Amino acid sequence: MKPLSKNACKDLKKLQQKKFRKLKKQVVVEGYRTVEQVINNGLRPIEVYIKQGNSHKDFPFLEDVRVDYYDVTPQQMKSICDTEHPQDIACLFPTKSKAVTKHDFILYLDGISDPGNLGTIIRTAVAVGVSGILLSEDSCELLSPKVIRSSLGTVFSVPVEIGSPDKLLSLSGTKIGAVLEDSIDIRDMEIPKTNIVLVIGSEAHGIRDEIIKHLDHKVRLPQTDNIESLNAAIAASLFMYKLKGLI
């Protein structure tokens, strides 16, 4: 393994900023499970960074990865990662995303601003087998380190595109939105067998009005009067499992 130079460390640290990730089309991904998931999903790292005191042999998923390996100090690892206590491995990945080509079950995320919520929603979407995700332009950055960690790296394995409300409205299929007011209990709805478009809005603002008026169905989850609403990621997960017929 090679030592990581000061200049290389400075360049990697810049990737903690969105503008540099966008410019370089690269992101540093940290952590055993997340890196393993990304590599197992078929994305090849550009470089691998291993904290001093560890060997590449400690990470079985690196067995067939033939790129440059760097032996980094704990201080360098902390510098290039965005977590307070990074784990023993990080990798530099290209920020690639897959285009949405199938439309059996599309998830449209309208104004999801919290990276943790976005990553969790994507992870669940992969688990239930959605065919693609459209993300509104005012949602948080798709390939930020926190979204990648929250999705456990699955953000690279599902087709995701940035899509305006016009893009959503141009889709064929039954558009179903999670709306609290003037809506029906999801249990009372006859679920379409194909071509579902599920729309989830932000916790703060919900789905924007210009989308709501074009929904075929407005649905809600059953809940007591003691709570105003559910966390967006939890609600999205329940809706996806229900509409996919898995619960």
Side-chain angles (χ1 to χ4, degrees):
M1 289 192 292
K2 306 175 184 180
L4 187 67
S5 71
K6 290 184 178 179
N7 286 338
C9 188
K10 288 180 180 178
D11 287 341
L12 290 169
K13 185 176 181 178
K14 290 179 180 178
L15 294 178
Q16 292 186 26
Q17 300 178 53
K18 179 180 178 179
K19 64 179 180 180
F20 286 105
R21 290 193 293 268
K22 186 175 181 179
L23 177 67
K24 300 287 289 185
K25 294 183 170 54
Q26 295 173 344
V27 65
V28 174
V29 177
E30 172 256 326
Y32 190 108
R33 292 181 65 206
T34 306
V35 169
E36 179 182 30
Q37 183 72 58
V38 175
I39 291 175
N40 287 344
N41 284 337
L43 189 61
R44 180 187 178 89
I46 300 168
E47 295 176 346
V48 177
Y49 314 107
I50 296 177
K51 190 185 294 185
Q52 287 179 351
N54 298 275
S55 164
H56 70 279
K57 294 181 180 178
D58 297 325
F59 309 96
F61 51 85
L62 295 176
E63 182 177 0
D64 298 320
V65 176
R66 303 288 183 263
V67 297
D68 287 335
Y69 285 69
Y70 291 89
D71 187 36
V72 303
T73 67
Q75 292 77 15
Q76 286 179 319
M77 186 67 87
K78 187 172 182 178
S79 178
I80 68 176
C81 298
D82 75 325
T83 56
E84 186 65 27
H85 302 287
Q87 298 180 32
D88 295 332
I89 183 171
C91 290
L92 181 66
F93 285 100
T95 53
K96 294 180 178 178
S97 58
K98 297 181 179 180
V100 178
T101 57
K102 296 181 179 179
H103 299 85
D104 298 335
F105 191 123
I106 295 294
L107 178 64
Y108 187 89
L109 302 177
D110 185 32
I112 302 297
S113 58
D114 181 83
N117 277 342
L118 178 57
T120 301
I121 291 170
I122 292 172
R123 186 174 175 180
T124 306
V126 173
V128 303
V130 303
S131 50
I133 298 172
L134 292 179
L135 187 66
S136 70
E137 295 164 331
D138 59 343
S139 292
C140 60
E141 182 193 1
L142 173 64
L143 292 172
S144 72
K146 188 170 182 180
V147 171
I148 294 170
R149 285 197 308 276
S150 299
S151 76
L152 197 62
T154 55
V155 65
F156 293 106
S157 64
V158 63
V160 184
E161 292 181 8
I162 304 301
S164 66
D166 287 341
K167 172 72 173 179
L168 165 66
L169 299 179
S170 71
L171 295 175
S172 61
T174 305
K175 297 175 179 65
I176 303 168
V179 182
L180 284 176
E181 297 180 0
D182 191 28
S183 56
I184 64 170
D185 190 313
I186 185 67
R187 295 172 296 179
D188 298 329
M189 177 186 166
E190 185 176 347
I191 297 173
K193 298 187 182 301
T194 58
N195 292 345
I196 292 174
V197 182
L198 172 62
V199 184
I200 300 292
S202 69
E203 288 184 50
H205 306 292
I207 301 171
R208 67 192 73 197
D209 291 340
E210 64 183 287
I211 292 176
I212 289 179
K213 64 184 180 182
H214 291 287
L215 294 173
D216 297 301
H217 300 282
K218 293 181 286 185
V219 296
R220 65 180 184 274
L221 293 166
Q223 62 185 52
T224 69
D225 295 332
N226 298 325
I227 190 74
E228 181 181 344
S229 64
L230 292 174
N231 169 273
I234 292 174
S237 299
L238 291 170
F239 279 119
M240 282 188 280
Y241 268 91
K242 179 65 176 177
L243 293 173
K244 287 287 286 186
L246 299 175
I247 57 173

